[in-house]
Every structure is written in C-alpha cells, then in structure tokens.
Amino acid sequence: SAVISQKPSRDICQRGTSLTIQCQVDSQVTMMFWYRQQPGQSLTLIATANQGSEATYESGFVIDKFPISRPNLTFSTLTVSNMSPEDSSIYLCSVPAGSGYTFGSGTRLTVV
Amino acid sequence: LAKTTQPISMDSYEGQEVNITCSHNNIATNDYITWYQQFPSQGPRFIIQGYKTKVTNEVASLFIPADRKSSTLSLPRVSLSDTAVYYCLALPVFGKGTRLSVIA
C-alpha cells in the first residue's frame, strides 16, 4: 500500500500567520483527502484534491482559508491561512490504497 | 455521503470478545464499509473492510447483513493494547467513533 510522508509533524504558530502542510506519496494517486482532527474529536473531511482540477471543499471549509495545491499525482499541500487558536488541530492527508485509505502521520498545529 | 452512527464508548475486560455495531442507513450501493483503529497521537490504521456478509482477517471479523444498513466489528479476545477509538465509515467520511477501553 502507499506510503505517505507528511511534514511538518508539528508546529507552533502565531495567530494571523499561515502554515503550509505537505504530503508526499510514494506512488501516483488520483485522489488525495485532507482531514482535520480537533482534540478528542473524530476526523472531519476538509476537502478532496484531484490532480489537474480545483479541490472540492466540504461544508464549513472554504478555499480562502484552506487553499490546496495538487501539482502532480504524488504531492499535495494544504495551507491553513490567517490562523487563529481555533485552528489548533491535527491535520492529516490520506490517499486510497488497497482496500482502504492510508493516512499520513499528521501535523499537530498549535496556534498561540 | 453515507452517515454512520456508533456507540460513543464501550468497556471490556481482557480476553473477552468485543462487538461494536455501526448503523449506516443511507449507504450507497457501491460503498464499502471500512473500520479503522486510532491510538492517541497517531493517524487512523485500517482494520478491515467489507461489502456484504462476513469478512475475517488476522485482526478482526466484520459482519454485514444483507440490507447493509449496519455492520458489526468483532474483536476476539481483546487485550489492553486494543484500547483505542474505532471508526466505522463509508470512506471518505468518518463518524464519531467508539472509544473502547479494555480493562485488566
């Protein structure tokens, strides 16, 4: 199954700044998913990123706040823009692999 | 996208069989049911997936009735290391998960 390298693993950021999270996959995949997991909560799908087209955002998430790039079939970035303490979460990327999905190790973001 | 409902939490003693049932009344015809396990500070880990009837692997069994409106994850003889959150989902949407606590 696919292996995902996600960076950074954690960061502490000042409010009002932006952070870009990267996911590199060791194989070509058409779809990549970005999730947010707030403390003690389940994973919430932010958007689906397809190579060559604009990402599809779920209700409650907008491109201005969470711009996504998908320049090729093995790489994607998610930017958390104009951060506030409410954005403190774990962010994960995921790709279809075999019977299910493979997840990155996550980025633990703390906004102060 | 199918919505899933499962118990918020369950407790079990070591060595017991644990069954976690999930309802997914509006599952689409082509959706598979997938179960994931998540430990604190880690990403979700795939456990098992099925479409209908019964699927078994080295970790768990999954029972899905003919109407596919529910599924049951069965963990045989749980140990303390099985304490985790278990998610039932029709990918890519996660439900709220079941927090399983295994007690010595």
Side-chain angles (χ1 to χ4, degrees), chain B residues 67-103:
Chain B
D67 66 7
R68 302 197 338 112
K69 294 186 176 181
S70 67
S71 61
T72 299
L73 174 73
S74 181
L75 304 172
R77 300 177 58 80
V78 294
S79 64
L80 295 176
S81 62
D82 292 318
T83 293
V85 179
Y86 292 82
Y87 294 99
C88 153
L89 61 156
L91 290 164
V93 177
F94 278 75
K96 295 188 182 300
T98 298
R99 187 173 299 274
L100 173 66
S101 298
V102 180
I103 307 163

Side-chain angles (χ1 to χ4, degrees), chain B:
Chain B
L1 296 173
K3 178 182 176 182
T4 59
T5 303
Q6 54 186 120
I8 294 174
S9 64
M10 295 180 70
D11 295 332
S12 175
Y13 287 102
E14 276 189 295
Q16 288 188 326
E17 178 184 78
V18 171
N19 296 308
I20 306 175
T21 297
C22 174
S23 65
H24 27 80
N25 291 317
N26 63 337
I27 188 171
T29 302
N30 58 346
D31 279 345
Y32 280 73
I33 299 301
T34 311
W35 284 78
Y36 279 80
Q37 176 191 57
Q38 187 178 31
F39 298 111
S41 301
Q42 295 185 24
R45 183 176 75 100
F46 173 89
I47 300 176
I48 198 167
Q49 184 184 68
Y51 184 81
K52 200 186 293 186
T53 64
K54 179 182 176 181
V55 180
T56 298
N57 62 20
E58 64 277 6
V59 176
S61 294
L62 178 61
F63 302 89
I64 304 174
D67 66 7
R68 302 197 338 112
K69 294 186 176 181
S70 67
S71 61
T72 299
L73 174 73
S74 181
L75 304 172
R77 300 177 58 80
V78 294
S79 64
L80 295 176
S81 62
D82 292 318
T83 293
V85 179
Y86 292 82
Y87 294 99
C88 153
L89 61 156
L91 290 164
V93 177
F94 278 75
K96 295 188 182 300
T98 298
R99 187 173 299 274
L100 173 66
S101 298
V102 180
I103 307 163

Side-chain angles (χ1 to χ4, degrees), chain A:
Chain A
S1 61
V3 175
I4 302 175
S5 173
Q6 183 171 346
K7 299 178 189 178
S9 59
R10 58 179 63 227
D11 206 342
I12 300 174
C13 300
Q14 296 291 324
R15 67 176 67 200
T17 63
S18 297
L19 176 71
T20 295
I21 302 167
Q22 302 179 3
C23 277
Q24 178 76 51
V25 190
D26 69 345
S27 58
Q28 294 186 335
V29 290
T30 304
M31 301 172 74
M32 186 176 287
F33 302 93
W34 286 96
Y35 290 87
R36 179 176 73 183
Q37 187 171 30
Q38 295 177 306
Q41 303 296 314
S42 178
L43 286 78
T44 300
L45 181 64
I46 298 172
T48 301
N50 293 318
Q51 195 272 334
S53 63
E54 285 217 357
T56 303
Y57 289 82
E58 298 299 310
S59 175
F61 298 95
V62 295
I63 187 171
D64 290 345
K65 176 67 176 178
F66 297 101
I68 289 171
S69 79
R70 188 82 206 276
N72 57 55
L73 291 174
T74 64
F75 188 78
S76 179
T77 67
L78 171 77
T79 299
V80 186
S81 304
N82 188 25
M83 288 183 284
S84 66
E86 291 71 33
D87 294 320
S88 297
S89 282
I90 297 173
Y91 293 85
L92 302 105
C93 61
S94 174
V95 299
S99 298
Y101 286 18
T102 295
F103 286 82
S105 53
T107 297
R108 183 179 294 274
L109 170 63
T110 302
V111 184
V112 297

